[in-house]
Amino acid sequence: MAPSENRKSLRIWAAKKIEDIRERKREYILRTLLIAGTALIDAAVIMAMVLPDLTPLPSVDSGLVFMIPVLTGLILGLLLTEESYKIRAVSGLYTIVLSCIIVFISLYWPILSGVATDFGFYMIWSMKWTMMAALIITPTTLMGVLLGASTADY
């Protein structure tokens, strides 16, 4: 085998590896954006429930608060059809954690910006609603993700 053929096959192999890395990077970025989008939607619905006067959404009733995380989880489960059940469930958990972080930071913002004077009240209030958000979002999002995963595989 001539040395030029070895170099040519090495270049082809390297080009395939680089393309595989780019494809995995593209999939990772899309998955991250999908998780962030669903977490933002879940957090927006919870914030509309907590602070109804400060939201552009119409009045949020309890049915919508429980239905939106199921629908976002369903979309997440349906769009991650190439992944295994484990990765879909972990994506749902990432969504839950990120939405709870968004809710906590949004509610704790008066203390972070220095506007609030009563730290104890805001801390207890923000923790109470963050725990409520976690209790609402966790089972509904996981149920939606697994429902979407089973629907996509059916």
Side-chain angles (χ1 to χ4, degrees):
M1 197 181 283
S4 63
E5 290 179 14
N6 282 340
R7 288 183 188 160
K8 192 175 196 180
S9 64
L10 183 64
R11 285 185 191 144
I12 292 171
W13 177 81
K16 286 181 183 177
K17 287 295 182 183
I18 289 173
E19 187 60 35
D20 288 343
I21 291 171
R22 285 182 181 159
E23 184 65 29
R24 279 188 274 155
K25 185 177 167 184
R26 216 175 288 125
E27 289 175 4
Y28 176 75
I29 289 171
L30 288 175
R31 190 181 312 127
T32 304
L33 288 175
L34 182 64
I35 289 170
T38 55
L40 193 62
I41 292 169
D42 290 347
V45 170
I46 295 295
M47 290 303 297
M49 180 186 72
V50 174
L51 302 170
D53 297 335
L54 303 177
T55 181
L57 296 175
S59 65
V60 177
D61 59 346
S62 62
L64 186 66
V65 168
F66 287 106
M67 213 48 203
I68 293 294
V70 172
L71 292 176
T72 56
L74 182 75
I75 291 170
L76 189 65
L78 285 173
L79 290 179
L80 295 176
T81 56
E82 300 295 322
E83 308 298 336
S84 66
Y85 278 103
K86 183 170 50 173
I87 291 179
R88 291 177 193 173
V90 169
S91 298
L93 290 174
Y94 284 156
T95 300
I96 293 164
V97 168
L98 187 60
S99 62
C100 289
I101 288 171
I102 291 170
V103 167
F104 180 74
I105 288 175
S106 299
L107 294 175
Y108 199 67
W109 193 252
I111 292 176
L112 295 175
S113 63
V115 175
T117 56
D118 189 8
F119 296 117
F121 169 75
Y122 275 100
M123 187 63 171
I124 292 170
W125 184 74
S126 60
M127 287 301 293
K128 176 184 80 167
W129 283 107
T130 304
M131 296 289 283
M132 181 63 111
L135 287 174
I136 291 172
I137 291 175
T138 301
T140 55
T141 301
L142 285 179
M143 181 179 66
V145 166
L146 295 178
L147 185 66
S150 63
T151 304
D153 289 344
Y154 181 69

PDB file of all heavy atoms in Angstrom, residues 88-103:
ATOM      1  N   ARG A  88     -34.654   9.925  28.368  1.00  0.00           N
ATOM      2  CA  ARG A  88     -35.886  10.720  28.378  1.00  0.00           C
ATOM      3  C   ARG A  88     -36.289  11.077  29.809  1.00  0.00           C
ATOM      4  O   ARG A  88     -36.692  12.208  30.080  1.00  0.00           O
ATOM      5  CB  ARG A  88     -37.009   9.943  27.706  1.00  0.00           C
ATOM      6  CG  ARG A  88     -36.812   9.779  26.223  1.00  0.00           C
ATOM      7  CD  ARG A  88     -37.920   8.950  25.643  1.00  0.00           C
ATOM      8  NE  ARG A  88     -37.595   8.538  24.295  1.00  0.00           N
ATOM      9  CZ  ARG A  88     -38.327   7.699  23.600  1.00  0.00           C
ATOM     10  NH1 ARG A  88     -39.406   7.177  24.115  1.00  0.00           N
ATOM     11  NH2 ARG A  88     -37.966   7.368  22.375  1.00  0.00           N
ATOM     12  N   ALA A  89     -36.182  10.121  30.722  1.00  0.00           N
ATOM     13  CA  ALA A  89     -36.531  10.394  32.116  1.00  0.00           C
ATOM     14  C   ALA A  89     -35.566  11.398  32.741  1.00  0.00           C
ATOM     15  O   ALA A  89     -35.974  12.295  33.477  1.00  0.00           O
ATOM     16  CB  ALA A  89     -36.547   9.105  32.917  1.00  0.00           C
ATOM     17  N   VAL A  90     -34.281  11.266  32.428  1.00  0.00           N
ATOM     18  CA  VAL A  90     -33.297  12.227  32.949  1.00  0.00           C
ATOM     19  C   VAL A  90     -33.545  13.617  32.360  1.00  0.00           C
ATOM     20  O   VAL A  90     -33.403  14.626  33.060  1.00  0.00           O
ATOM     21  CB  VAL A  90     -31.857  11.727  32.665  1.00  0.00           C
ATOM     22  CG1 VAL A  90     -30.835  12.800  32.936  1.00  0.00           C
ATOM     23  CG2 VAL A  90     -31.558  10.501  33.502  1.00  0.00           C
ATOM     24  N   SER A  91     -33.953  13.685  31.107  1.00  0.00           N
ATOM     25  CA  SER A  91     -34.303  14.972  30.512  1.00  0.00           C
ATOM     26  C   SER A  91     -35.503  15.585  31.229  1.00  0.00           C
ATOM     27  O   SER A  91     -35.551  16.798  31.450  1.00  0.00           O
ATOM     28  CB  SER A  91     -34.615  14.806  29.025  1.00  0.00           C
ATOM     29  OG  SER A  91     -33.498  14.335  28.329  1.00  0.00           O
ATOM     30  N   GLY A  92     -36.462  14.747  31.609  1.00  0.00           N
ATOM     31  CA  GLY A  92     -37.593  15.240  32.396  1.00  0.00           C
ATOM     32  C   GLY A  92     -37.154  15.757  33.757  1.00  0.00           C
ATOM     33  O   GLY A  92     -37.647  16.790  34.227  1.00  0.00           O
ATOM     34  N   LEU A  93     -36.214  15.056  34.388  1.00  0.00           N
ATOM     35  CA  LEU A  93     -35.705  15.528  35.685  1.00  0.00           C
ATOM     36  C   LEU A  93     -34.939  16.835  35.541  1.00  0.00           C
ATOM     37  O   LEU A  93     -35.042  17.724  36.398  1.00  0.00           O
ATOM     38  CB  LEU A  93     -34.819  14.450  36.319  1.00  0.00           C
ATOM     39  CG  LEU A  93     -35.541  13.203  36.807  1.00  0.00           C
ATOM     40  CD1 LEU A  93     -34.544  12.164  37.283  1.00  0.00           C
ATOM     41  CD2 LEU A  93     -36.519  13.549  37.907  1.00  0.00           C
ATOM     42  N   TYR A  94     -34.161  16.978  34.470  1.00  0.00           N
ATOM     43  CA  TYR A  94     -33.480  18.252  34.217  1.00  0.00           C
ATOM     44  C   TYR A  94     -34.493  19.380  34.032  1.00  0.00           C
ATOM     45  O   TYR A  94     -34.290  20.494  34.517  1.00  0.00           O
ATOM     46  CB  TYR A  94     -32.580  18.168  32.994  1.00  0.00           C
ATOM     47  CG  TYR A  94     -31.290  17.426  33.192  1.00  0.00           C
ATOM     48  CD1 TYR A  94     -30.622  16.856  32.119  1.00  0.00           C
ATOM     49  CD2 TYR A  94     -30.709  17.291  34.446  1.00  0.00           C
ATOM     50  CE1 TYR A  94     -29.435  16.167  32.288  1.00  0.00           C
ATOM     51  CE2 TYR A  94     -29.530  16.612  34.623  1.00  0.00           C
ATOM     52  CZ  TYR A  94     -28.901  16.056  33.540  1.00  0.00           C
ATOM     53  OH  TYR A  94     -27.735  15.379  33.711  1.00  0.00           O
ATOM     54  N   THR A  95     -35.573  19.087  33.344  1.00  0.00           N
ATOM     55  CA  THR A  95     -36.626  20.086  33.154  1.00  0.00           C
ATOM     56  C   THR A  95     -37.220  20.508  34.491  1.00  0.00           C
ATOM     57  O   THR A  95     -37.435  21.700  34.739  1.00  0.00           O
ATOM     58  CB  THR A  95     -37.728  19.511  32.240  1.00  0.00           C
ATOM     59  OG1 THR A  95     -37.153  19.166  30.985  1.00  0.00           O
ATOM     60  CG2 THR A  95     -38.831  20.503  32.034  1.00  0.00           C
ATOM     61  N   ILE A  96     -37.463  19.536  35.354  1.00  0.00           N
ATOM     62  CA  ILE A  96     -38.047  19.830  36.665  1.00  0.00           C
ATOM     63  C   ILE A  96     -37.103  20.700  37.494  1.00  0.00           C
ATOM     64  O   ILE A  96     -37.513  21.709  38.080  1.00  0.00           O
ATOM     65  CB  ILE A  96     -38.370  18.516  37.400  1.00  0.00           C
ATOM     66  CG1 ILE A  96     -39.488  17.777  36.688  1.00  0.00           C
ATOM     67  CG2 ILE A  96     -38.713  18.761  38.853  1.00  0.00           C
ATOM     68  CD1 ILE A  96     -39.616  16.334  37.089  1.00  0.00           C
ATOM     69  N   VAL A  97     -35.843  20.324  37.543  1.00  0.00           N
ATOM     70  CA  VAL A  97     -34.874  21.074  38.338  1.00  0.00           C
ATOM     71  C   VAL A  97     -34.710  22.493  37.798  1.00  0.00           C
ATOM     72  O   VAL A  97     -34.705  23.470  38.561  1.00  0.00           O
ATOM     73  CB  VAL A  97     -33.517  20.325  38.377  1.00  0.00           C
ATOM     74  CG1 VAL A  97     -32.420  21.196  38.946  1.00  0.00           C
ATOM     75  CG2 VAL A  97     -33.646  19.050  39.174  1.00  0.00           C
ATOM     76  N   LEU A  98     -34.615  22.618  36.486  1.00  0.00           N
ATOM     77  CA  LEU A  98     -34.436  23.946  35.896  1.00  0.00           C
ATOM     78  C   LEU A  98     -35.659  24.822  36.114  1.00  0.00           C
ATOM     79  O   LEU A  98     -35.528  26.016  36.420  1.00  0.00           O
ATOM     80  CB  LEU A  98     -34.129  23.812  34.405  1.00  0.00           C
ATOM     81  CG  LEU A  98     -33.757  25.083  33.669  1.00  0.00           C
ATOM     82  CD1 LEU A  98     -32.502  25.712  34.284  1.00  0.00           C
ATOM     83  CD2 LEU A  98     -33.537  24.796  32.203  1.00  0.00           C
ATOM     84  N   SER A  99     -36.849  24.268  36.006  1.00  0.00           N
ATOM     85  CA  SER A  99     -38.043  25.091  36.230  1.00  0.00           C
ATOM     86  C   SER A  99     -38.163  25.505  37.694  1.00  0.00           C
ATOM     87  O   SER A  99     -38.571  26.638  37.980  1.00  0.00           O
ATOM     88  CB  SER A  99     -39.295  24.352  35.764  1.00  0.00           C
ATOM     89  OG  SER A  99     -39.475  23.183  36.494  1.00  0.00           O
ATOM     90  N   CYS A 100     -37.781  24.633  38.626  1.00  0.00           N
ATOM     91  CA  CYS A 100     -37.806  25.026  40.047  1.00  0.00           C
ATOM     92  C   CYS A 100     -36.767  26.105  40.340  1.00  0.00           C
ATOM     93  O   CYS A 100     -37.017  27.018  41.140  1.00  0.00           O
ATOM     94  CB  CYS A 100     -37.596  23.811  40.934  1.00  0.00           C
ATOM     95  SG  CYS A 100     -38.998  22.704  40.964  1.00  0.00           S
ATOM     96  N   ILE A 101     -35.625  26.023  39.694  1.00  0.00           N
ATOM     97  CA  ILE A 101     -34.610  27.070  39.864  1.00  0.00           C
ATOM     98  C   ILE A 101     -35.113  28.401  39.317  1.00  0.00           C
ATOM     99  O   ILE A 101     -34.931  29.456  39.947  1.00  0.00           O
ATOM    100  CB  ILE A 101     -33.282  26.650  39.195  1.00  0.00           C
ATOM    101  CG1 ILE A 101     -32.618  25.536  40.002  1.00  0.00           C
ATOM    102  CG2 ILE A 101     -32.337  27.832  39.041  1.00  0.00           C
ATOM    103  CD1 ILE A 101     -31.418  24.909  39.317  1.00  0.00           C
ATOM    104  N   ILE A 102     -35.774  28.372  38.173  1.00  0.00           N
ATOM    105  CA  ILE A 102     -36.325  29.603  37.592  1.00  0.00           C
ATOM    106  C   ILE A 102     -37.380  30.199  38.508  1.00  0.00           C
ATOM    107  O   ILE A 102     -37.404  31.416  38.740  1.00  0.00           O
ATOM    108  CB  ILE A 102     -36.898  29.323  36.181  1.00  0.00           C
ATOM    109  CG1 ILE A 102     -35.773  29.010  35.201  1.00  0.00           C
ATOM    110  CG2 ILE A 102     -37.709  30.512  35.680  1.00  0.00           C
ATOM    111  CD1 ILE A 102     -36.249  28.504  33.865  1.00  0.00           C
ATOM    112  N   VAL A 103     -38.244  29.353  39.057  1.00  0.00           N
ATOM    113  CA  VAL A 103     -39.281  29.846  39.973  1.00  0.00           C
ATOM    114  C   VAL A 103     -38.641  30.445  41.218  1.00  0.00           C
ATOM    115  O   VAL A 103     -39.020  31.537  41.667  1.00  0.00           O
ATOM    116  CB  VAL A 103     -40.269  28.714  40.339  1.00  0.00           C
ATOM    117  CG1 VAL A 103     -41.146  29.105  41.514  1.00  0.00           C
ATOM    118  CG2 VAL A 103     -41.128  28.354  39.149  1.00  0.00           C
TER     119      VAL A 103
END
